Amino acid sequence: MTISLETIRECLLEEHLLKEFTSADGWSLTLPTSLNNKNFDTLSYDSRTVNANTLFFCKGMNFKSEYLEMAVKSGLTVYVAEQPYDVPATLGIIVTDIKKAMAVLSMAFYDYPQNKLKLIGFTGTKGKTTAAYFTKFILDNATNNKTAMLSTMNSTLDGKTFFKSHLTTPESLDLYQMMAEAVKNNMTHFIMEVSSQAYKTNRVYGLFFDVGIFLNITPDHISPIEHPTFDDYFYCKRQLIKHSKTMIFNHESDYFQLLKETAELHKIPYIVYGDQASPDTDYIYQTCADDSLAFSIKGKNDSLAVSGEYHLRLGGDFNKGNALSAVLASALVGATRNDCEKGIKETTVPGRMELLTNTNGAKIYVDYAHNYDSLKNLLAFVKKEHPTGRLLVVIGSTGNKAISRRKDFGTVLSELADIAILTTDDPADENPVTICEEIQSYITTDIPVEIIEDRSEAIEKALAMSLAEDAVVLAGKGADLYQKVGGEDTPYEGDFYIAERLILK
């Protein structure tokens, strides 16, 4: 892969992003003649990985001129930035928005891989990962395993090997590199979770999806370093609508009318699903009376031919809506009803509704539920499944972001838990005990609450406290094998494996 300086100039001018070029000859909108034949074979925003043929992006709120100086010492000659820097580089490409420029130039460098794939994008406060997995299993049947996926828990670019992404939606440079690798691996479809931060920080600037799915919206990610208000969070989420060729909406989502109006304003065709019939709802799902893991899909005119009975391995009524959204998205990009039925039946999600049994018979649920709605739905489901026993919940909350979750967790625990054990969950730069104390301050009922900083010890305590008829919920981490402490991903054994080890002890 290469990109020339002239192509860079054309791309930036087309997007109205170029301010000027700076060089020893002064400032200009034309390139120095000495650089007419300059090409780059690498893009980077890491000053530690550059050479003379690297196009380097000076990005990030914490970017320091020392990083650029370090890169120049390593041979760098051209950089892209929002302001000129006093460094002995040959050329500075000065732009109005570094993140937009990086997105535009990355897609050009990797030869627009998005145009060689069917793109499906999921957004919503909860359910993105589960819905993405349902879609992956369906499309694996439809494409003979030629479906790539970027997910919070696991990602794959070849359909076989999996890795964990550091961000729900990667930086644009990494995103297009991953798409290009998927194309190289002969993938035909590409599923991804699209976060609000992806639009807030222009990681997906200029990217359009064949199908976009808006699952739901509730307050989340409200913090000084993410979204200052719910309005900002919701507005960023809604950007998926005008960047999709077709949208799928959940009729039961809060603010459904605004979602619908946004699609209509931008002339985006849409399909509506839900668990209740209405003039707007095109497809509804209903639980089969004799089987809680079976549900039926009924369409008004069933133009996608997906009506019928489906069976899942994942419990919880909320997963039926996720499954239906996946069925509709998959059908729009070529899956048959048989592909959908088989995929839904086969779907498992690491860290979602994983079930173990303690030595005394108590059930242990491991789930990634990490915000108000997902935790409330999870605990309500488990409580319904175990009406005579107690509900013991092990949970923590992240540091440095999503501060509002701490109050949300306290509220849900007050409503549904019988015993709460508060512990560590990606504390970042904060003290995990302080986070737990904040959650505890929002618990308004007289339930036993214990704070145990070490998460493995917290899980051990919950299992030891459980009785045969009880249910233990390990919430928040799911299949995550790391704890974010400071700026590092610290290896973590994982909730499921800790519980399994303790049971077999």
Side-chain angles (χ1 to χ4, degrees), residues 118 120 138-139 189 210-213 245-248 269-271 283 303-304 306 325-336 340:
K118 288 289 186 183
I120 302 101
I138 292 170
L139 291 179
H189 291 63
D210 291 282
V211 182
I213 304 92
K245 297 174 186 176
T246 302
M247 278 300 301
I248 296 170
Y270 59 87
I271 296 170
Y283 291 87
S303 60
L304 294 175
V306 296
S325 74
V327 166
L328 296 174
S330 301
L332 285 170
V333 293
T336 66
C340 295

Side-chain angles (χ1 to χ4, degrees), residues 96-320:
T96 58
D97 189 307
I98 188 66
K99 298 296 285 290
K100 290 181 180 179
M102 188 165 74
V104 167
L105 297 180
S106 294
M107 64 173 76
F109 179 82
Y110 288 107
D111 193 24
Y112 303 95
Q114 69 270 34
N115 296 338
K116 303 164 190 175
L117 298 159
K118 288 289 186 183
L119 292 188
I120 302 101
F122 285 91
T123 201
T125 304
K126 60 179 181 180
K128 294 187 296 295
T129 299
T130 303
Y133 264 83
F134 277 127
T135 309
K136 173 78 165 63
F137 274 78
I138 292 170
L139 291 179
D140 275 346
N141 283 288
T143 66
N144 192 24
N145 299 308
K146 289 184 171 60
T147 301
M149 178 177 70
L150 291 185
S151 159
T152 304
M153 298 311 306
N154 264 324
S155 298
T156 180
L157 304 175
D158 61 5
K160 304 170 188 172
T161 54
F162 290 81
F163 62 94
K164 180 176 173 57
S165 177
H166 290 291
L167 297 169
T168 299
T169 309
E171 292 285 2
S172 58
L173 193 158
D174 303 316
L175 175 60
Y176 289 107
Q177 185 274 328
M178 291 176 183
M179 285 187 182
E181 187 172 337
V183 170
K184 183 180 177 183
N185 291 333
N186 298 313
M187 299 291 103
T188 58
H189 291 63
F190 195 97
I191 304 162
M192 58 184 286
E193 298 177 35
V194 189
S195 67
S196 56
Q197 283 291 299
Y199 282 109
K200 177 84 171 174
T201 61
N202 289 309
R203 294 179 205 154
V204 288
Y205 176 78
L207 180 62
F208 287 83
F209 294 85
D210 291 282
V211 182
I213 304 92
F214 200 112
L215 296 170
N216 45 65
I217 187 75
T218 54
D220 196 20
H221 295 286
I222 313 301
S223 74
I225 65 170
E226 294 177 289
H227 299 281
T229 62
F230 172 70
D231 172 67
D232 184 68
Y233 171 61
F234 189 21
Y235 178 75
C236 290
K237 285 280 192 190
R238 296 202 303 275
Q239 299 313 296
L240 178 67
I241 299 173
K242 63 181 183 181
H243 291 94
S244 297
K245 297 174 186 176
T246 302
M247 278 300 301
I248 296 170
F249 293 127
N250 175 6
H251 184 266
E252 275 64 67
S253 172
D254 288 350
Y255 305 98
F256 166 74
Q257 187 62 30
L258 180 56
L259 300 176
K260 177 184 168 184
E261 287 177 5
T262 304
E264 291 170 348
L265 176 66
H266 295 286
K267 297 181 171 55
I268 308 297
Y270 59 87
I271 296 170
V272 179
Y273 72 92
D275 62 4
Q276 300 175 31
S278 83
D280 286 314
T281 312
D282 300 299
Y283 291 87
I284 62 171
Y285 60 96
Q286 297 175 330
T287 299
C288 296
D290 58 341
D291 188 348
S292 64
L293 291 178
F295 70 102
S296 62
I297 294 176
K298 296 179 181 178
K300 277 183 182 174
N301 54 25
D302 204 19
S303 60
L304 294 175
V306 296
S307 288
E309 189 169 298
Y310 292 77
H311 295 262
L312 326 97
R313 295 174 65 177
L314 298 175
D317 287 345
F318 47 91
N319 279 323
K320 291 158 191 171

